[in-house]
Amino acid sequence: MNRKQFLTEVEQRLSPLPAEVRHELLSDLSQHFDYGLVNGKSESEIAHELGNPEDIARWKWNQTTLRGAY
């Protein structure tokens, strides 16, 4: 999975959440890709290291809704 596919999947799964919540997480994930690329990793390797986009989205959804931020 490349960077665009990874970020798109996370964003789609978080679509019910406020834009600022989605933007914050996507920005953080994008920074992980930037760092990994600078250090010689492929987008596929970085995506694998980050884990399953569905799990990341579920974690953020739970974090956001449990805090009452949504």
Side-chain angles (χ1 to χ4, degrees):
M1 179 176 293
N2 68 31
R3 177 189 203 141
K4 183 175 180 168
Q5 293 167 324
F6 189 92
L7 295 177
T8 297
E9 185 170 341
V10 172
E11 183 173 27
Q12 288 173 346
R13 293 180 181 279
L14 293 177
S15 62
L17 294 179
E20 65 269 7
V21 172
R22 293 191 316 269
H23 177 72
E24 179 184 348
L25 177 59
L26 293 172
S27 177
D28 288 347
L29 292 171
S30 188
Q31 287 177 8
H32 282 284
F33 276 95
D34 291 342
Y35 181 78
L37 290 169
V38 166
N39 288 289
K41 295 182 180 177
S42 71
E43 289 185 354
S44 179
E45 289 173 311
I46 299 162
H48 180 74
E49 289 174 0
L50 287 171
N52 185 331
E54 183 178 355
D55 293 339
I56 293 169
R58 185 178 302 117
W59 168 80
K60 187 62 173 180
W61 176 270
N62 289 338
Q63 181 187 45
T64 302
T65 57
L66 290 175
R67 283 188 185 165
Y70 175 63

